[in-house]
Amino acid sequence: MIHLHPSGKVTLLEIDNPPVNATSQAVRQGLLDAIERLDTDPAVGAIVIAGAGRTFTAGGDITEFGKPPLLPHLPDVITRIEACAKPVVVAWHGTALGGGCEIGLAATKRIIAPDGSVGLPEVKLGLMPGAGGTQRLPRLVGPVVALDLIASGRMVGAKEALALGLVDAIAAGNLREEAVALAESLIGQPPERVSERPVPASDPTAWEATVAKVKKDAKGRTAPLAAIALVETARAEPFAAGQPKERATFFDLMASPQSKALRHMFMAEREVARVPELAGISPREINHIGVIGAGTMGSGIAVAFLDAGYRVTLMEASEAALQAGLDRVNGLYLRSVKSGRIDETIRLERLSRLTPTTEIKALAETGLVIEAVFEDMAVKLDLLGRLGAALPAETIIATNTSYLDLEVMADALPHPERFIGLHFFSPAHVMKLLEIVRARRTAKEVLATGLAIGKRLKKIAVIAGVCDGFIGNRLLARYRAQCEFMLEEGALPQEIDAALEAFGFAMGPFAVQDLAGLDIAWARRKRLAATRNPAERDVPLVDRLCEAGRFGQKAGKGWYLYAEGKREVDPEIDALVRAHAASTGRAQRSFSAAEIQSRVLTTMINEGAKILGEGIAARPLDIDLVLVNGYGFPNWRGGPMHYADETGLARILAEAEAIAARDGAAYAVARLLRELAGSGRTFASLNASER
Ligand code: 3HC
C-alpha cells in the first residue's frame, strides 16, 4: 500500500492502492507508520508524498462510508503529517480529491502535474470534507475561494490551482523529480504549517455574494449550507477549535438521508455498466456514425458524437432540410465557443469530422446508423426498409424512438439482430442519460457495442427492454396521468408543480409539458386513442388546451401564460380545470403538498416495480438513474426506488392500494411491491451487486 523510495536525503512515500488510491484503513495505517518512521529517521531530511498509478488519491474510501469508522482516522493521520519536523512536499497528479487534497493541504509545499486537478468534491456525496479541508483551505486561498470550491465541489486544473495559491508550482517535466528537488531545497527550514496561518481578510461584498450564491444553488441540499458555517468557523476560530466542528458536521452529514442517497447514486452510476450477461463479450470498435434526421434531436445527437471524437455522416431527405440541420449544428458550436466551453480550433476540428449528405448510400461506410426521423411508425418502417437494402448486413442500425415498438421495426430489417434502440434525451449533446433499448433479437455484441458507445459519449447508459415508453417515458406517462387525475379532484396545475418542485424536482410536470410542447402529448393521445381501454381513467384536458392553441411556451401559453418568457398562473386555466373537474362529478377537495408528493411518488414506484417484474429494467438502480438523469428527479433523494426504501415499503404499499382502488386496473399494485413489502425486504436487496 505504501512504498518508500529514498533519494539522497529525501524519501518519496508512494501511496499504492489501485484503482484510485482511496485512503482506506490500510492506506491510513501505512501512511501513519511511514510518517512516524521518516520523521524520526536522522538520515531523512525531507519527505515527498506521491501516488502510484493514474491518480494521487481520490480521497476517503467510499466503500467504508456508512460503516463504523476504522482507526486510524484520516484527520489524525493528516495532523501527524503536518506536525512533521521535516518539510513535506506533496506531488499531485491525476485527480487529488477529498482526502487526497486534504493531505496536500497539510504539507509544507504542493506541486502539481500540468494535467492534474484538485478539489474537495465531498459535497457531491452530501458530505463536507472531514479531514481539515474546510479549516485549512480558507487559510491557504482565502474564505471566498474556499467557500466556492467546498460548496460547489468543483475540481480546478493546475493553472487555476496555481493562480488561486492552492499549489506552489506546476511541474515542468517530471513531477516526482521536481517534487524531490523542491523538498531538497527546503531541508533545514522549519516547515510552514497551513493550520497555523490566519485566514486572510476578504472583501465583505465578495463574501456576501458567494454566500448568497451557495444558498441559491443549494436547492434543498443541506451539505452546501454546512460549507458556509464551516468556513465562517475557520474565519472566527483557531484551527484547533474548528477541526472538531468540521468532524462533527462530517459525521452528521454521513448519517443523513441526503448523503446516503448521493452515495447510492455514485455507486449506481458505476454499477450500471456492469451487466453480467455481457461479461466477456467484446464490443465492436466503431469510429464512424451515421445520423439520419437533422432536426433538434438529430443535430444534438450528431454534436454528441462529434464531441466524443467520432466521424459523423449526417443525412437528411432534402438539401434544404440538410442545410437547416447544419445550421443547427453550427449554432450549437458557436454557442459553445461564445460561452467559452470550447475554442475556435476545437470547433473547427469537430466540424471537420462532419459529412453532410442526402444520399443513403453515403451511410454504407459507417459502423452504426441512428435514425432520428419523425416519430411515426410508417415513416420509420419505410426508412428501415431502405436502410436494410442500402447498408451492409453488419452495419448496426439504431432507432432513437421514444415510444414506438422496436419489435415491429426490427421486422422491417434483414438481420434484425443488429437492431437496437439508442434513446437520447434532448438536448442530446447535454443530457447525461441514454436508454439502450434491447429488442428480443438484439445480439449481445450489439448491446455491448451500445454500452461502449454510451461510455465513450460519457453518458449514463441504462439498458431497457421493449415496452411503450421503455423505462423513463413509461413511468412519466403514469405519473403525469396521476397529476391530471388530481386536477379532476380539486388540485390546480400550479399547486402540483409547486409540491413537486418543493420535493426537489427541477420543474413540475405541467411546466415541463409547456417547455416540451403540449402538441407532443396530444399527438401521442391521438395515436393511442384507438387502442385506449374505455374503462381506463382518462383526462382529456390536454386536448382542450391544444384545441385552444395552447401548445406551451412556444405558443406563449399552455398550462401557464408566458409573458416575456416568465411563467405566470393563468386564471383561464384555473377556470377550465375547475369546470372540467365539476363535469366529472368527482368530489372536490384541497390537496396538501405532502399528499401530492405521496401520490406521484407512489405511482412512480409502483410502475417501477412493474417494470422490474417484467424485466424491462434489470435492477432498481437502473430506474433510479433514468429518473435522476433524464426526468429531473432530485439526485439527493436517490431516485424513486431508493426513496421507496427510505420511506418504507409498507407505507408505499398502503398508498398504492388506495390509488389502485380509485384509479383502476392500470394502477393495480405491482406484485413485486407487494412481495417485498410483505417480506420486509427492500428494493436495494435486488441491486445484488451494488456494494
Ligand atoms: N473510494 C472508493 N472507491 C472509489 C473512490 C473512492 N473515493 N473513487 C473512485 N472509486 C472507485 C470507483 O467506484 C470505481 O470502482 P469500480 O471500477 O469497481 O467501479 C473505480 O474507483 C474507478 O472510478 P471511476 O469509474 O469513477 O473512474 P473515473 O476515472 O471515471 O473517475 C474519479 C475517477 C474522478 C476519482 C471518480 O471516481 C470520483 O470522482 N471519485 C470520487 C471522489 C470523491 O468523491 N472523493 C471524496 C471522497 S470523501 C472524502 O475524501 C472524505 C474526506 O474528506 C474525509
Side-chain angles (χ1 to χ4, degrees), residues 18-23 54-55 57-65 74-75 78 95 97-100 102 119-125 127-133 155 246-247 250 254 266-267 270-271 274 455 691:
V20 292
N21 296 334
T23 55
R54 62 200 249 202
T55 195
T57 141
D61 185 342
I62 297 172
T63 60
E64 286 181 6
F65 289 3
L74 190 59
I78 288 180
T95 45
L97 299 178
E102 289 170 300
L120 291 169
E122 284 87 344
V123 72
K124 295 182 183 167
L125 297 170
L127 298 170
M128 278 289 102
M155 287 198 273
E246 174 196 80
R247 199 69 185 146
F250 179 78
M254 182 70 84
F266 180 88
M267 288 303 179
R270 281 144 190 88
E271 198 58 43
R274 274 189 269 271
K455 188 168 177 201
R691 287 156 296 180

Side-chain angles (χ1 to χ4, degrees), residues 310-632:
Y310 289 87
R311 283 173 62 203
V312 173
T313 298
L314 180 63
M315 186 190 140
E316 257 296 354
S318 70
E319 288 294 343
L322 187 60
Q323 191 51 52
L326 290 175
D327 290 347
R328 255 178 231 115
V329 170
N330 278 320
L332 292 175
Y333 275 126
L334 287 174
R335 221 177 299 159
S336 290
V337 171
K338 208 170 156 200
S339 70
R341 268 197 303 277
I342 59 168
D343 63 21
E344 189 59 14
T345 320
I346 295 179
R347 179 181 82 92
L348 293 174
E349 190 280 322
R350 290 188 186 171
L351 285 172
S352 74
R353 286 185 270 105
L354 176 68
T355 311
T357 186
T358 53
E359 300 287 327
I360 205 164
K361 60 178 187 301
L363 301 171
E365 62 193 57
T366 68
L368 180 147
V369 172
I370 304 175
E371 71 76 17
V373 300
F374 189 62
E375 187 78 339
D376 178 276
M377 186 57 105
V379 173
K380 304 238 187 215
L381 290 180
D382 171 63
L383 175 65
L384 289 170
R386 287 187 290 130
L387 284 174
L391 302 183
E394 64 276 7
T395 308
I396 297 178
I397 298 180
T399 174
N400 178 53
T401 183
S402 317
Y403 285 98
L404 300 176
D405 189 340
L406 265 77
E407 307 301 353
V408 175
M409 285 190 230
D411 286 339
L413 276 177
H415 306 288
E417 67 281 359
R418 43 101 170 242
F419 186 57
I420 190 168
L422 291 180
H423 181 209
F424 287 83
F425 291 73
S426 190
H429 61 298
V430 175
M431 293 288 285
K432 289 285 278 178
L433 181 63
L434 175 66
E435 275 183 324
I436 299 190
V437 190
R438 68 186 306 177
R440 193 167 41 80
R441 288 159 285 184
T442 306
K444 285 187 179 175
E445 186 213 11
V446 172
L447 198 57
T449 305
L451 275 179
I453 285 175
K455 188 168 177 201
R456 183 160 159 196
L457 292 175
K458 298 202 174 74
K459 302 273 183 208
I460 292 172
V462 180
I463 295 178
V466 175
C467 66
D468 194 49
F470 317 126
I471 298 176
N473 280 342
R474 175 164 158 186
L475 257 72
L476 173 70
R478 277 280 178 260
Y479 72 77
R480 201 174 255 180
Q482 193 58 242
C483 293
E484 294 179 4
F485 295 169
M486 284 187 270
L487 297 184
E488 290 189 332
E489 297 163 35
L492 290 168
Q494 58 271 23
E495 291 168 354
I496 294 173
D497 279 354
L500 293 174
E501 285 165 17
F503 179 80
F505 274 90
M507 270 173 115
F510 294 103
V512 172
Q513 256 189 63
D514 275 357
L515 186 67
L518 267 67
D519 42 341
I520 296 178
W522 196 28
R524 184 170 141 74
R525 283 180 55 76
K526 284 195 262 190
R527 177 163 62 77
L528 296 178
T531 50
R532 185 176 297 123
N533 177 357
E536 216 174 271
R537 189 170 172 189
D538 178 54
V539 182
L541 273 168
V542 164
D543 303 350
R544 298 294 92 79
L545 265 70
C546 289
E547 284 154 13
R550 304 188 71 114
F551 293 123
Q553 275 196 29
K554 60 187 167 194
K557 54 185 180 171
W559 291 103
Y560 295 92
L561 272 182
Y562 296 88
E564 287 153 29
K566 238 186 87 214
R567 186 199 329 171
E568 278 169 24
V569 170
D570 186 354
E572 243 180 64
I573 286 289
D574 289 4
L576 183 82
V577 169
R578 295 273 189 240
H580 170 74
S583 76
T584 65
R586 289 180 185 271
Q588 301 294 300
R589 65 188 180 87
S590 60
F591 282 81
S592 69
E595 265 179 292
I596 293 170
Q597 291 163 0
S598 169
R599 237 170 110 164
V600 171
L601 269 298
T602 301
T603 305
M604 226 180 257
I605 294 158
N606 191 42
E607 196 65 21
K610 285 183 191 173
I611 278 177
L612 285 169
E614 293 167 27
I616 298 291
R619 298 156 295 192
L621 65 87
D622 295 285
I623 299 175
D624 287 339
L625 287 175
V626 167
L627 268 287
V628 166
N629 292 290
Y631 295 82

